[in-house]
Amino acid sequence: MRDPVRAALAVCPVEVSIAVLGGAWKLSAVRYLLVRTHRFGELQRAVGDVTPRTLTRALRELETDGIVRRTVYAEVPPRVEYSLTELGESLRPIVDWLEKWGHDYVNAT
Amino acid sequence: MRDPVRAALAVCPVEVSIAVLGGAWKLSAVRYLLVRTHRFGELQRAVGDVTPRTLTRALRELETDGIVRRTVYAEVPPRVEYSLTELGESLRPIVDWLEKWGHDYVNAT
DNA sequence: CCGCATCCAAGCCGATACTG
DNA sequence: CAGTATCGGCTTGGATGCGG
């Protein structure tokens, strides 16, 4: 378990959720993975203007936290696919609410 | 509007939500304010081991983002009460989901 | 009682160049 | 194609002490 998550444990369940999901690009990536499995490059183009390094870090943390599954195919050229674990799939209602709330927030301000 | 929120606008509504709610202690504070209005000291004791400075900053950002209302009473000793705006109240289902998910996450790992 | 000022440490995130 | 290496700025959160 990553340190931020462990620290949040001592506070409150909502802080645990924020510790897992709170990073930049993380929920954007999850949002696309809720639709279907993506290759790395696909995901990068989908989420927008993110550098490979930054997206890699976000995905690695989500993998450590048990949200994302990473599958490497021993091919040339290399292929790596990202998909959601069962735990990741369980985020669907949260992502839907956050998307709706963010949309309404923008319209309200 | 704060810079992180503006930057998230260009990406996706979920990133907007994370930009507003993603800071440490923020949703813990909102969680207690969903129950009732709190004075500053009450809130500090409720959320746990947070320094006044850190909690103040979190609340100020939530105020800037339109989530929290701050009411100062011209008394001695001073009294400051925090409550939720209508926008803040609209977070209730999200906070409930995040709390449930965080709880399940801890049990699953 | 509330919270600001100052200073500080850590970590996040980005740009660029390079590799199996 | 899917990353890693390296460097660096900037934001975030914390400790401590003072002020209205």
Side-chain angles (χ1 to χ4, degrees):
Chain A
M1 185 179 287
R2 293 184 307 116
D3 278 355
V5 180
R6 196 193 322 282
L9 268 180
V11 182
C12 173
V14 291
E15 294 293 328
V16 172
S17 299
I18 290 298
V20 173
L21 310 173
W25 308 110
K26 284 189 179 178
L27 280 185
S28 291
V30 168
R31 182 172 128 74
Y32 287 105
L33 294 180
L34 277 169
V35 178
R36 59 170 172 81
T37 295
H38 281 68
R39 298 184 59 173
F40 181 85
E42 273 181 326
L43 209 45
Q44 188 186 358
R45 284 186 296 276
V47 302
D49 195 17
V50 59
T51 62
R53 164 168 175 84
T54 300
L55 183 58
T56 296
R57 261 183 321 209
L59 289 168
R60 286 290 199 283
E61 291 188 2
L62 289 171
E63 189 188 5
T64 300
D65 293 338
I67 307 300
V68 156
R69 181 171 30 243
R70 181 170 174 268
T71 309
V72 181
Y73 295 87
E75 302 175 358
V76 178
R79 180 162 59 105
V80 178
E81 288 189 346
Y82 290 89
S83 55
L84 293 179
T85 63
E86 193 176 338
L87 202 53
E89 288 285 349
S90 75
L91 287 169
R92 191 181 297 273
I94 291 180
V95 171
D96 287 347
W97 273 106
L98 287 175
E99 177 142 16
K100 178 183 180 325
W101 190 87
H103 183 76
D104 294 350
Y105 179 84
V106 171
N107 286 350
T109 55
Chain B
M1 185 179 287
R2 294 183 306 117
D3 277 355
V5 180
R6 195 191 325 281
L9 268 181
V11 182
C12 173
V14 292
E15 293 293 327
V16 172
S17 299
I18 289 298
V20 173
L21 309 173
W25 308 110
K26 284 189 179 177
L27 280 185
S28 292
V30 169
R31 182 172 128 74
Y32 288 104
L33 295 179
L34 278 169
V35 178
R36 60 170 171 80
T37 295
H38 281 67
R39 297 185 58 174
F40 181 83
E42 272 181 327
L43 208 46
Q44 188 187 356
R45 285 186 296 275
V47 302
D49 194 17
V50 59
T51 62
R53 162 163 176 84
T54 301
L55 183 58
T56 295
R57 261 187 319 207
L59 289 167
R60 284 289 197 285
E61 290 187 3
L62 288 170
E63 190 189 5
T64 300
D65 293 337
I67 308 298
V68 156
R69 179 169 32 241
R70 181 170 174 266
T71 310
V72 182
Y73 295 88
E75 302 175 357
V76 178
R79 181 161 59 104
V80 180
E81 288 188 346
Y82 291 90
S83 56
L84 293 179
T85 63
E86 192 176 339
L87 203 52
E89 289 284 349
S90 74
L91 287 170
R92 190 179 298 272
I94 290 180
V95 171
D96 287 347
W97 273 106
L98 288 176
E99 177 143 16
K100 178 182 180 326
W101 191 87
H103 183 76
D104 294 349
Y105 179 84
V106 171
N107 286 350
T109 54

